[in-house]
Structures are given as C-alpha cells and as structure tokens.
Amino acid sequence: MSHKIILHKPIRNEEELNAAFARIDELMNAQLGTPTGEELDLLSELVWAYEQRHYPIGAPDPIDLLNLKIEAGEITLEQLKEVLPNRSTRSQILNKHRRITTQAATEMVNRRWIPAESFFLTSYWNSLD
C-alpha cells in the first residue's frame, strides 16, 4: 500500500505524520541522488520539523549528564579533579546536594563535557531551593 503525502507543505497533524512514517518505511532502501532518495530526505526533514514543534526534547540535566559520562568512562576522576578539586564539594555536586559554581560550569562547557543549554535551559539553578 502506498501512502502519499504532499511534499511541498509542512506536516500539520498526526494523520499526516503517520502517513509520512509509512512512506519513509517504503523508501528506506532508496539510493541517494535518486528521486526516491530525494523524497526520503525531504520527508525526513518534514518529520523532524514536526517533531521539533510538537515533541521537543529539552536539554538534559547537567549533573545527570556529568554522572552518565563519568560512568561511561568519558570523563575520568583525574579530569574531574581538575575542575572540581575538593573531594567533598565534588561529592555534593554529583549527588545534587550543592550547585556547581558558574566557573566550574563554564569550564565543563569549554571542555565540551556538558552543553551550555543544559545549564541555561533547565531548572538547574533553581533545583536546590
């Protein structure tokens, strides 16, 4: 069964979204640079735009993300000590009993450990009140 979607307009509702998903499934093996490949690319962009408007994913909590990266081995204890040298402070921050300083937050952003939006688009600064 072929599902058709008008390609020159945004997806406006769930019915159109479901039709786009069905058509994407049909096109998954399309070759780049072909008309079906172009249709797949365009449909993917339309779905992405719809989901950004209707199902936005917020920035992750910075401390949850930091803990995840430590557990995954992406940040070592030695690296963390460079930013948070005091053991007690480090423990309080990682356990969310104390806020991180803006200086340490800036350093983590500069080291690309935590995206800036995690600090600025979340309720992190109000979370301990």
Side-chain angles (χ1 to χ4, degrees):
M1 180 172 138
S2 178
H3 299 281
K4 298 294 180 195
I5 186 167
I6 298 172
L7 296 178
H8 64 276
K9 72 174 191 77
I11 296 170
R12 301 212 186 273
N13 57 51
E14 294 292 318
E15 183 179 332
E16 290 178 359
L17 179 66
N18 290 332
F21 281 138
R23 183 65 179 146
I24 285 170
D25 284 343
E26 293 173 4
L27 299 172
M28 283 308 291
N29 294 322
Q31 298 295 315
L32 293 175
T34 65
T36 54
E38 293 297 320
E39 183 182 0
L40 176 60
D41 188 40
L42 181 56
L43 278 172
S44 298
E45 291 292 330
L46 290 171
V47 166
W48 180 86
Y50 181 87
E51 289 179 338
Q52 290 295 307
R53 277 192 315 276
H54 297 280
Y55 305 105
I57 297 174
D61 177 89
I63 303 306
D64 289 343
L65 184 56
L66 183 61
N67 280 316
L68 182 67
K69 289 187 172 204
I70 291 167
E71 286 177 25
E74 295 177 36
I75 300 170
T76 66
L77 179 59
E78 292 306 314
Q79 290 172 313
L80 189 58
K81 285 179 182 178
E82 293 172 7
V83 178
L84 301 170
N86 183 284
R87 181 180 180 185
S88 176
T89 300
R90 192 170 50 248
S91 176
Q92 289 174 336
I93 289 170
L94 293 175
N95 289 303
K96 295 185 177 184
H97 297 295
R98 181 179 186 162
R99 283 188 198 93
I100 195 166
T101 65
T102 54
Q103 181 181 358
T106 300
E107 182 61 26
M108 289 180 184
V109 169
N110 289 341
R111 290 177 182 229
R112 300 187 189 279
W113 292 353
I114 309 292
E117 51 272 10
S118 287
F119 288 110
F120 303 113
L121 297 180
T122 66
S123 59
Y124 175 73
W125 300 109
N126 299 321
S127 63
L128 298 178
D129 292 338

